[in-house]
Amino acid sequence: MMLFSSLTYTETDEQLMERFVSKKSEKAFEELYRRYAPRLKGFFIRMMSGDVALADDFLQELFLRIYEARSSYQTGKQFSTWAFAIAYNFCKNEYRHREIEEYFSQQSHPLEKDYCVSPEFESMHDRRIFNEQLKKVLASLTSEQRAAYTLRYEEELSVREIAQILHCPE
């Protein structure tokens, strides 16, 4: 007797979305959520400078939007591109409602001096400095440039997919 079934979905994301649209399959929607929620939450966290609460809100709103707008999904279109395009639009709307430069300046604070010389500390310290410098550079980019960086180097999407999401030429 099996208490938990271990279902494996061999359907593509697009097939799941088509089944969700045409047959209103809740299972298909749940599988899409399972596949994409962690990636999209990570995207939101990076785009919103580490604001996990805002990322959670955006993730919930995104899947609600996907659920409600399922009929607008174009058959044959790549689901990941469609979902990330909606996610990117959420971020753009957020940027419009606040001054992003002010937000990042409030987040920066001077480094504390530590005099520990262990290799582990040096490595950790170097990583922290690198991350802070990367954050500053990303903050100086436009929202489109930051999105392109995040989608390419952190989400590992192709240039073609990024161009479709950002509505720009490759």
Side-chain angles (χ1 to χ4, degrees), residues 46-89:
R46 290 185 297 275
M47 291 299 290
M48 295 292 115
S49 305
D51 189 336
V52 177
L54 185 59
D56 286 333
D57 290 345
F58 277 7
L59 183 66
Q60 182 178 6
E61 182 67 28
L62 173 68
F63 276 95
L64 180 62
R65 179 87 43 97
I66 289 171
Y67 190 90
E68 292 173 343
R70 63 184 169 267
S71 61
S72 69
Y73 174 74
Q74 297 172 358
T75 303
K77 190 171 182 180
Q78 193 167 4
F79 175 78
S80 63
T81 303
W82 185 65
F84 274 103
I86 296 169
Y88 174 64
N89 286 331

mmCIF file of all heavy atoms in Angstrom, residues 46-89:
data_model
loop_
_atom_site.group_PDB
_atom_site.id
_atom_site.type_symbol
_atom_site.label_atom_id
_atom_site.label_comp_id
_atom_site.label_asym_id
_atom_site.label_seq_id
_atom_site.Cartn_x
_atom_site.Cartn_y
_atom_site.Cartn_z
ATOM 1 N N ARG A 46 16.447 38.668 -6.490
ATOM 2 C CA ARG A 46 17.591 39.368 -7.095
ATOM 3 C C ARG A 46 17.176 40.710 -7.697
ATOM 4 O O ARG A 46 17.896 41.694 -7.568
ATOM 5 C CB ARG A 46 18.260 38.479 -8.125
ATOM 6 C CG ARG A 46 18.980 37.295 -7.484
ATOM 7 C CD ARG A 46 19.751 36.478 -8.490
ATOM 8 N NE ARG A 46 18.916 35.854 -9.491
ATOM 9 C CZ ARG A 46 18.294 34.681 -9.364
ATOM 10 N NH1 ARG A 46 18.417 34.001 -8.244
ATOM 11 N NH2 ARG A 46 17.576 34.176 -10.342
ATOM 12 N N MET A 47 16.033 40.754 -8.329
ATOM 13 C CA MET A 47 15.588 41.998 -8.958
ATOM 14 C C MET A 47 15.170 43.042 -7.917
ATOM 15 O O MET A 47 15.234 44.229 -8.158
ATOM 16 C CB MET A 47 14.430 41.727 -9.917
ATOM 17 C CG MET A 47 14.826 40.961 -11.154
ATOM 18 S SD MET A 47 16.040 41.811 -12.185
ATOM 19 C CE MET A 47 15.033 43.151 -12.821
ATOM 20 N N MET A 48 14.751 42.590 -6.753
ATOM 21 C CA MET A 48 14.305 43.499 -5.701
ATOM 22 C C MET A 48 15.344 43.619 -4.587
ATOM 23 O O MET A 48 15.007 43.877 -3.434
ATOM 24 C CB MET A 48 12.964 43.035 -5.117
ATOM 25 C CG MET A 48 11.819 43.077 -6.098
ATOM 26 S SD MET A 48 11.396 44.785 -6.544
ATOM 27 C CE MET A 48 11.797 44.799 -8.277
ATOM 28 N N SER A 49 16.593 43.394 -4.910
ATOM 29 C CA SER A 49 17.722 43.609 -3.999
ATOM 30 C C SER A 49 17.615 42.855 -2.690
ATOM 31 O O SER A 49 17.909 43.382 -1.635
ATOM 32 C CB SER A 49 17.895 45.100 -3.711
ATOM 33 O OG SER A 49 18.032 45.798 -4.904
ATOM 34 N N GLY A 50 17.158 41.621 -2.770
ATOM 35 C CA GLY A 50 17.139 40.773 -1.593
ATOM 36 C C GLY A 50 15.906 40.903 -0.723
ATOM 37 O O GLY A 50 15.871 40.339 0.367
ATOM 38 N N ASP A 51 14.900 41.617 -1.165
ATOM 39 C CA ASP A 51 13.674 41.786 -0.378
ATOM 40 C C ASP A 51 12.823 40.521 -0.512
ATOM 41 O O ASP A 51 12.016 40.382 -1.433
ATOM 42 C CB ASP A 51 12.906 43.018 -0.865
ATOM 43 C CG ASP A 51 11.739 43.388 0.042
ATOM 44 O OD1 ASP A 51 11.230 42.496 0.762
ATOM 45 O OD2 ASP A 51 11.335 44.560 0.017
ATOM 46 N N VAL A 52 13.001 39.594 0.422
ATOM 47 C CA VAL A 52 12.333 38.287 0.369
ATOM 48 C C VAL A 52 10.820 38.432 0.523
ATOM 49 O O VAL A 52 10.057 37.749 -0.160
ATOM 50 C CB VAL A 52 12.912 37.335 1.438
ATOM 51 C CG1 VAL A 52 12.180 36.012 1.452
ATOM 52 C CG2 VAL A 52 14.405 37.109 1.194
ATOM 53 N N ALA A 53 10.380 39.314 1.391
ATOM 54 C CA ALA A 53 8.938 39.496 1.590
ATOM 55 C C ALA A 53 8.271 39.990 0.302
ATOM 56 O O ALA A 53 7.205 39.496 -0.082
ATOM 57 C CB ALA A 53 8.680 40.471 2.735
ATOM 58 N N LEU A 54 8.910 40.941 -0.361
ATOM 59 C CA LEU A 54 8.366 41.447 -1.616
ATOM 60 C C LEU A 54 8.402 40.355 -2.685
ATOM 61 O O LEU A 54 7.465 40.209 -3.466
ATOM 62 C CB LEU A 54 9.140 42.676 -2.083
ATOM 63 C CG LEU A 54 8.622 43.382 -3.328
ATOM 64 C CD1 LEU A 54 7.178 43.848 -3.129
ATOM 65 C CD2 LEU A 54 9.522 44.573 -3.668
ATOM 66 N N ALA A 55 9.466 39.557 -2.698
ATOM 67 C CA ALA A 55 9.564 38.445 -3.650
ATOM 68 C C ALA A 55 8.437 37.444 -3.421
ATOM 69 O O ALA A 55 7.831 36.954 -4.380
ATOM 70 C CB ALA A 55 10.925 37.758 -3.528
ATOM 71 N N ASP A 56 8.144 37.137 -2.172
ATOM 72 C CA ASP A 56 7.029 36.234 -1.859
ATOM 73 C C ASP A 56 5.704 36.807 -2.359
ATOM 74 O O ASP A 56 4.885 36.088 -2.934
ATOM 75 C CB ASP A 56 6.942 35.974 -0.354
ATOM 76 C CG ASP A 56 8.033 35.038 0.139
ATOM 77 O OD1 ASP A 56 8.524 34.212 -0.650
ATOM 78 O OD2 ASP A 56 8.387 35.128 1.338
ATOM 79 N N ASP A 57 5.502 38.098 -2.126
ATOM 80 C CA ASP A 57 4.271 38.746 -2.594
ATOM 81 C C ASP A 57 4.172 38.689 -4.116
ATOM 82 O O ASP A 57 3.114 38.375 -4.668
ATOM 83 C CB ASP A 57 4.220 40.204 -2.140
ATOM 84 C CG ASP A 57 4.022 40.360 -0.646
ATOM 85 O OD1 ASP A 57 3.645 39.360 0.021
ATOM 86 O OD2 ASP A 57 4.256 41.472 -0.140
ATOM 87 N N PHE A 58 5.269 39.013 -4.782
ATOM 88 C CA PHE A 58 5.275 38.997 -6.243
ATOM 89 C C PHE A 58 5.035 37.583 -6.774
ATOM 90 O O PHE A 58 4.334 37.399 -7.766
ATOM 91 C CB PHE A 58 6.597 39.527 -6.783
ATOM 92 C CG PHE A 58 6.678 41.024 -6.863
ATOM 93 C CD1 PHE A 58 5.687 41.838 -6.343
ATOM 94 C CD2 PHE A 58 7.769 41.624 -7.458
ATOM 95 C CE1 PHE A 58 5.773 43.221 -6.426
ATOM 96 C CE2 PHE A 58 7.865 43.005 -7.560
ATOM 97 C CZ PHE A 58 6.866 43.800 -7.037
ATOM 98 N N LEU A 59 5.643 36.583 -6.132
ATOM 99 C CA LEU A 59 5.468 35.202 -6.578
ATOM 100 C C LEU A 59 4.003 34.793 -6.483
ATOM 101 O O LEU A 59 3.446 34.210 -7.422
ATOM 102 C CB LEU A 59 6.342 34.260 -5.749
ATOM 103 C CG LEU A 59 6.307 32.796 -6.163
ATOM 104 C CD1 LEU A 59 6.905 32.614 -7.553
ATOM 105 C CD2 LEU A 59 7.056 31.954 -5.153
ATOM 106 N N GLN A 60 3.381 35.111 -5.371
ATOM 107 C CA GLN A 60 1.966 34.784 -5.197
ATOM 108 C C GLN A 60 1.123 35.511 -6.238
ATOM 109 O O GLN A 60 0.249 34.918 -6.870
ATOM 110 C CB GLN A 60 1.518 35.170 -3.787
ATOM 111 C CG GLN A 60 0.074 34.821 -3.509
ATOM 112 C CD GLN A 60 -0.337 35.165 -2.086
ATOM 113 O OE1 GLN A 60 0.409 35.759 -1.331
ATOM 114 N NE2 GLN A 60 -1.534 34.787 -1.722
ATOM 115 N N GLU A 61 1.394 36.786 -6.437
ATOM 116 C CA GLU A 61 0.645 37.578 -7.414
ATOM 117 C C GLU A 61 0.876 37.053 -8.836
ATOM 118 O O GLU A 61 -0.054 37.008 -9.645
ATOM 119 C CB GLU A 61 1.065 39.047 -7.317
ATOM 120 C CG GLU A 61 0.325 39.972 -8.248
ATOM 121 C CD GLU A 61 -1.152 40.117 -7.927
ATOM 122 O OE1 GLU A 61 -1.534 39.963 -6.757
ATOM 123 O OE2 GLU A 61 -1.926 40.377 -8.869
ATOM 124 N N LEU A 62 2.108 36.644 -9.130
ATOM 125 C CA LEU A 62 2.424 36.123 -10.457
ATOM 126 C C LEU A 62 1.619 34.864 -10.763
ATOM 127 O O LEU A 62 1.004 34.755 -11.834
ATOM 128 C CB LEU A 62 3.923 35.819 -10.575
ATOM 129 C CG LEU A 62 4.342 35.113 -11.857
ATOM 130 C CD1 LEU A 62 4.171 36.033 -13.054
ATOM 131 C CD2 LEU A 62 5.763 34.624 -11.760
ATOM 132 N N PHE A 63 1.599 33.913 -9.843
ATOM 133 C CA PHE A 63 0.864 32.679 -10.124
ATOM 134 C C PHE A 63 -0.648 32.909 -10.108
ATOM 135 O O PHE A 63 -1.372 32.238 -10.845
ATOM 136 C CB PHE A 63 1.300 31.546 -9.194
ATOM 137 C CG PHE A 63 2.526 30.863 -9.717
ATOM 138 C CD1 PHE A 63 3.789 31.225 -9.284
ATOM 139 C CD2 PHE A 63 2.425 29.879 -10.697
ATOM 140 C CE1 PHE A 63 4.918 30.617 -9.796
ATOM 141 C CE2 PHE A 63 3.543 29.270 -11.214
ATOM 142 C CZ PHE A 63 4.797 29.635 -10.772
ATOM 143 N N LEU A 64 -1.102 33.870 -9.356
ATOM 144 C CA LEU A 64 -2.504 34.244 -9.427
ATOM 145 C C LEU A 64 -2.812 34.822 -10.806
ATOM 146 O O LEU A 64 -3.820 34.484 -11.431
ATOM 147 C CB LEU A 64 -2.844 35.252 -8.332
ATOM 148 C CG LEU A 64 -4.286 35.736 -8.276
ATOM 149 C CD1 LEU A 64 -5.238 34.566 -8.010
ATOM 150 C CD2 LEU A 64 -4.449 36.793 -7.199
ATOM 151 N N ARG A 65 -1.919 35.660 -11.302
ATOM 152 C CA ARG A 65 -2.084 36.247 -12.637
ATOM 153 C C ARG A 65 -2.047 35.164 -13.710
ATOM 154 O O ARG A 65 -2.857 35.184 -14.636
ATOM 155 C CB ARG A 65 -0.982 37.274 -12.872
ATOM 156 C CG ARG A 65 -0.989 37.967 -14.197
ATOM 157 C CD ARG A 65 -1.852 39.209 -14.285
ATOM 158 N NE ARG A 65 -1.780 40.106 -13.162
ATOM 159 C CZ ARG A 65 -1.013 41.189 -13.098
ATOM 160 N NH1 ARG A 65 -0.211 41.494 -14.089
ATOM 161 N NH2 ARG A 65 -1.048 41.959 -12.032
ATOM 162 N N ILE A 66 -1.117 34.212 -13.592
ATOM 163 C CA ILE A 66 -1.052 33.111 -14.561
ATOM 164 C C ILE A 66 -2.350 32.317 -14.529
ATOM 165 O O ILE A 66 -2.904 31.964 -15.567
ATOM 166 C CB ILE A 66 0.172 32.208 -14.285
ATOM 167 C CG1 ILE A 66 1.465 32.943 -14.658
ATOM 168 C CG2 ILE A 66 0.060 30.883 -15.044
ATOM 169 C CD1 ILE A 66 2.730 32.230 -14.229
ATOM 170 N N TYR A 67 -2.838 32.061 -13.328
ATOM 171 C CA TYR A 67 -4.078 31.303 -13.175
ATOM 172 C C TYR A 67 -5.248 32.034 -13.830
ATOM 173 O O TYR A 67 -6.017 31.451 -14.585
ATOM 174 C CB TYR A 67 -4.362 31.073 -11.685
ATOM 175 C CG TYR A 67 -5.494 30.106 -11.425
ATOM 176 C CD1 TYR A 67 -5.258 28.749 -11.291
ATOM 177 C CD2 TYR A 67 -6.807 30.560 -11.321
ATOM 178 C CE1 TYR A 67 -6.291 27.861 -11.054
ATOM 179 C CE2 TYR A 67 -7.848 29.682 -11.083
ATOM 180 C CZ TYR A 67 -7.584 28.328 -10.955
ATOM 181 O OH TYR A 67 -8.610 27.451 -10.733
ATOM 182 N N GLU A 68 -5.359 33.312 -13.535
ATOM 183 C CA GLU A 68 -6.484 34.088 -14.047
ATOM 184 C C GLU A 68 -6.357 34.398 -15.538
ATOM 185 O O GLU A 68 -7.366 34.505 -16.230
ATOM 186 C CB GLU A 68 -6.629 35.388 -13.267
ATOM 187 C CG GLU A 68 -7.069 35.169 -11.831
ATOM 188 C CD GLU A 68 -7.050 36.445 -11.003
ATOM 189 O OE1 GLU A 68 -6.408 37.439 -11.399
ATOM 190 O OE2 GLU A 68 -7.680 36.429 -9.927
ATOM 191 N N ALA A 69 -5.144 34.552 -16.036
ATOM 192 C CA ALA A 69 -4.927 34.939 -17.433
ATOM 193 C C ALA A 69 -4.536 33.757 -18.303
ATOM 194 O O ALA A 69 -3.944 33.935 -19.366
ATOM 195 C CB ALA A 69 -3.860 36.026 -17.502
ATOM 196 N N ARG A 70 -4.859 32.554 -17.866
ATOM 197 C CA ARG A 70 -4.446 31.369 -18.617
ATOM 198 C C ARG A 70 -4.949 31.385 -20.047
ATOM 199 O O ARG A 70 -4.297 30.878 -20.949
ATOM 200 C CB ARG A 70 -4.867 30.100 -17.899
ATOM 201 C CG ARG A 70 -6.351 29.914 -17.744
ATOM 202 C CD ARG A 70 -6.670 28.657 -16.921
ATOM 203 N NE ARG A 70 -8.052 28.580 -16.550
ATOM 204 C CZ ARG A 70 -8.557 29.037 -15.406
ATOM 205 N NH1 ARG A 70 -7.770 29.603 -14.524
ATOM 206 N NH2 ARG A 70 -9.840 28.929 -15.148
ATOM 207 N N SER A 71 -6.097 31.992 -20.288
ATOM 208 C CA SER A 71 -6.640 32.021 -21.647
ATOM 209 C C SER A 71 -5.822 32.923 -22.578
ATOM 210 O O SER A 71 -5.905 32.797 -23.792
ATOM 211 C CB SER A 71 -8.098 32.467 -21.630
ATOM 212 O OG SER A 71 -8.203 33.758 -21.091
ATOM 213 N N SER A 72 -4.995 33.806 -22.004
ATOM 214 C CA SER A 72 -4.169 34.670 -22.849
ATOM 215 C C SER A 72 -2.852 33.995 -23.257
ATOM 216 O O SER A 72 -2.108 34.555 -24.058
ATOM 217 C CB SER A 72 -3.883 35.995 -22.147
ATOM 218 O OG SER A 72 -3.014 35.789 -21.053
ATOM 219 N N TYR A 73 -2.582 32.823 -22.702
ATOM 220 C CA TYR A 73 -1.371 32.081 -23.084
ATOM 221 C C TYR A 73 -1.510 31.637 -24.539
ATOM 222 O O TYR A 73 -2.532 31.065 -24.924
ATOM 223 C CB TYR A 73 -1.172 30.865 -22.179
ATOM 224 C CG TYR A 73 -0.022 29.984 -22.598
ATOM 225 C CD1 TYR A 73 1.289 30.377 -22.378
ATOM 226 C CD2 TYR A 73 -0.250 28.769 -23.239
ATOM 227 C CE1 TYR A 73 2.342 29.574 -22.769
ATOM 228 C CE2 TYR A 73 0.795 27.965 -23.631
ATOM 229 C CZ TYR A 73 2.096 28.373 -23.393
ATOM 230 O OH TYR A 73 3.136 27.577 -23.783
ATOM 231 N N GLN A 74 -0.503 31.906 -25.330
ATOM 232 C CA GLN A 74 -0.523 31.537 -26.738
ATOM 233 C C GLN A 74 0.086 30.150 -26.908
ATOM 234 O O GLN A 74 1.249 29.934 -26.579
ATOM 235 C CB GLN A 74 0.260 32.547 -27.574
ATOM 236 C CG GLN A 74 -0.332 33.925 -27.551
ATOM 237 C CD GLN A 74 0.564 34.941 -28.221
ATOM 238 O OE1 GLN A 74 1.661 34.636 -28.676
ATOM 239 N NE2 GLN A 74 0.106 36.176 -28.275
ATOM 240 N N THR A 75 -0.724 29.228 -27.431
ATOM 241 C CA THR A 75 -0.260 27.860 -27.653
ATOM 242 C C THR A 75 0.988 27.892 -28.516
ATOM 243 O O THR A 75 1.049 28.611 -29.503
ATOM 244 C CB THR A 75 -1.368 27.035 -28.337
ATOM 245 O OG1 THR A 75 -2.533 27.076 -27.512
ATOM 246 C CG2 THR A 75 -0.935 25.596 -28.537
ATOM 247 N N GLY A 76 1.964 27.123 -28.110
ATOM 248 C CA GLY A 76 3.219 27.047 -28.848
ATOM 249 C C GLY A 76 4.287 27.988 -28.329
ATOM 250 O O GLY A 76 5.456 27.821 -28.625
ATOM 251 N N LYS A 77 3.885 28.985 -27.561
ATOM 252 C CA LYS A 77 4.850 29.907 -26.981
ATOM 253 C C LYS A 77 5.508 29.242 -25.783
ATOM 254 O O LYS A 77 4.869 28.498 -25.043
ATOM 255 C CB LYS A 77 4.135 31.189 -26.553
ATOM 256 C CG LYS A 77 5.081 32.295 -26.154
ATOM 257 C CD LYS A 77 4.344 33.612 -25.944
ATOM 258 C CE LYS A 77 5.340 34.686 -25.608
ATOM 259 N NZ LYS A 77 4.699 35.976 -25.389
ATOM 260 N N GLN A 78 6.783 29.516 -25.584
ATOM 261 C CA GLN A 78 7.516 28.898 -24.482
ATOM 262 C C GLN A 78 6.994 29.436 -23.155
ATOM 263 O O GLN A 78 6.941 30.644 -22.930
ATOM 264 C CB GLN A 78 9.010 29.174 -24.630
ATOM 265 C CG GLN A 78 9.853 28.320 -23.734
ATOM 266 C CD GLN A 78 11.318 28.389 -24.118
ATOM 267 O OE1 GLN A 78 11.720 29.122 -25.005
ATOM 268 N NE2 GLN A 78 12.121 27.621 -23.420
ATOM 269 N N PHE A 79 6.604 28.521 -22.265
ATOM 270 C CA PHE A 79 6.020 28.927 -20.980
ATOM 271 C C PHE A 79 6.997 29.746 -20.157
ATOM 272 O O PHE A 79 6.618 30.765 -19.563
ATOM 273 C CB PHE A 79 5.553 27.712 -20.175
ATOM 274 C CG PHE A 79 5.060 28.083 -18.805
ATOM 275 C CD1 PHE A 79 3.801 28.636 -18.642
ATOM 276 C CD2 PHE A 79 5.863 27.914 -17.686
ATOM 277 C CE1 PHE A 79 3.346 29.021 -17.378
ATOM 278 C CE2 PHE A 79 5.412 28.298 -16.428
ATOM 279 C CZ PHE A 79 4.151 28.845 -16.280
ATOM 280 N N SER A 80 8.262 29.338 -20.094
ATOM 281 C CA SER A 80 9.227 30.054 -19.255
ATOM 282 C C SER A 80 9.375 31.503 -19.721
ATOM 283 O O SER A 80 9.452 32.414 -18.889
ATOM 284 C CB SER A 80 10.583 29.354 -19.256
ATOM 285 O OG SER A 80 11.143 29.335 -20.556
ATOM 286 N N THR A 81 9.392 31.724 -21.016
ATOM 287 C CA THR A 81 9.509 33.077 -21.541
ATOM 288 C C THR A 81 8.288 33.904 -21.152
ATOM 289 O O THR A 81 8.409 35.055 -20.731
ATOM 290 C CB THR A 81 9.663 33.040 -23.077
ATOM 291 O OG1 THR A 81 10.800 32.233 -23.401
ATOM 292 C CG2 THR A 81 9.843 34.429 -23.654
ATOM 293 N N TRP A 82 7.102 33.311 -21.275
ATOM 294 C CA TRP A 82 5.861 33.999 -20.924
ATOM 295 C C TRP A 82 5.848 34.345 -19.436
ATOM 296 O O TRP A 82 5.546 35.473 -19.056
ATOM 297 C CB TRP A 82 4.677 33.113 -21.313
ATOM 298 C CG TRP A 82 3.327 33.712 -21.134
ATOM 299 C CD1 TRP A 82 2.804 34.783 -21.803
ATOM 300 C CD2 TRP A 82 2.302 33.264 -20.241
ATOM 301 N NE1 TRP A 82 1.514 35.018 -21.375
ATOM 302 C CE2 TRP A 82 1.175 34.102 -20.418
ATOM 303 C CE3 TRP A 82 2.216 32.231 -19.312
ATOM 304 C CZ2 TRP A 82 0.001 33.941 -19.700
ATOM 305 C CZ3 TRP A 82 1.045 32.070 -18.604
ATOM 306 C CH2 TRP A 82 -0.049 32.915 -18.792
ATOM 307 N N ALA A 83 6.201 33.386 -18.590
ATOM 308 C CA ALA A 83 6.180 33.607 -17.141
ATOM 309 C C ALA A 83 7.215 34.651 -16.714
ATOM 310 O O ALA A 83 6.920 35.536 -15.898
ATOM 311 C CB ALA A 83 6.418 32.289 -16.405
ATOM 312 N N PHE A 84 8.437 34.564 -17.264
ATOM 313 C CA PHE A 84 9.463 35.543 -16.900
ATOM 314 C C PHE A 84 9.123 36.928 -17.437
ATOM 315 O O PHE A 84 9.483 37.939 -16.831
ATOM 316 C CB PHE A 84 10.854 35.096 -17.363
ATOM 317 C CG PHE A 84 11.542 34.196 -16.380
ATOM 318 C CD1 PHE A 84 11.615 32.825 -16.609
ATOM 319 C CD2 PHE A 84 12.097 34.698 -15.217
ATOM 320 C CE1 PHE A 84 12.241 31.986 -15.695
ATOM 321 C CE2 PHE A 84 12.729 33.860 -14.302
ATOM 322 C CZ PHE A 84 12.798 32.499 -14.537
ATOM 323 N N ALA A 85 8.436 37.018 -18.563
ATOM 324 C CA ALA A 85 8.011 38.323 -19.083
ATOM 325 C C ALA A 85 7.020 38.971 -18.122
ATOM 326 O O ALA A 85 7.118 40.175 -17.833
ATOM 327 C CB ALA A 85 7.395 38.169 -20.471
ATOM 328 N N ILE A 86 6.092 38.195 -17.610
ATOM 329 C CA ILE A 86 5.139 38.722 -16.630
ATOM 330 C C ILE A 86 5.889 39.141 -15.365
ATOM 331 O O ILE A 86 5.653 40.215 -14.805
ATOM 332 C CB ILE A 86 4.048 37.683 -16.301
ATOM 333 C CG1 ILE A 86 3.207 37.368 -17.536
ATOM 334 C CG2 ILE A 86 3.146 38.181 -15.168
ATOM 335 C CD1 ILE A 86 2.276 36.169 -17.363
ATOM 336 N N ALA A 87 6.826 38.304 -14.927
ATOM 337 C CA ALA A 87 7.612 38.610 -13.726
ATOM 338 C C ALA A 87 8.411 39.902 -13.910
ATOM 339 O O ALA A 87 8.453 40.752 -13.004
ATOM 340 C CB ALA A 87 8.551 37.443 -13.404
ATOM 341 N N TYR A 88 9.012 40.053 -15.065
ATOM 342 C CA TYR A 88 9.795 41.257 -15.346
ATOM 343 C C TYR A 88 8.892 42.498 -15.323
ATOM 344 O O TYR A 88 9.278 43.549 -14.798
ATOM 345 C CB TYR A 88 10.519 41.135 -16.685
ATOM 346 C CG TYR A 88 11.223 42.395 -17.093
ATOM 347 C CD1 TYR A 88 12.284 42.898 -16.339
ATOM 348 C CD2 TYR A 88 10.823 43.109 -18.214
ATOM 349 C CE1 TYR A 88 12.921 44.068 -16.700
ATOM 350 C CE2 TYR A 88 11.453 44.276 -18.583
ATOM 351 C CZ TYR A 88 12.506 44.746 -17.827
ATOM 352 O OH TYR A 88 13.137 45.913 -18.179
ATOM 353 N N ASN A 89 7.691 42.362 -15.847
ATOM 354 C CA ASN A 89 6.758 43.492 -15.831
ATOM 355 C C ASN A 89 6.382 43.887 -14.404
ATOM 356 O O ASN A 89 6.217 45.067 -14.104
ATOM 357 C CB ASN A 89 5.512 43.190 -16.663
ATOM 358 C CG ASN A 89 5.806 43.255 -18.141
ATOM 359 O OD1 ASN A 89 6.685 43.984 -18.581
ATOM 360 N ND2 ASN A 89 5.081 42.480 -18.920
#
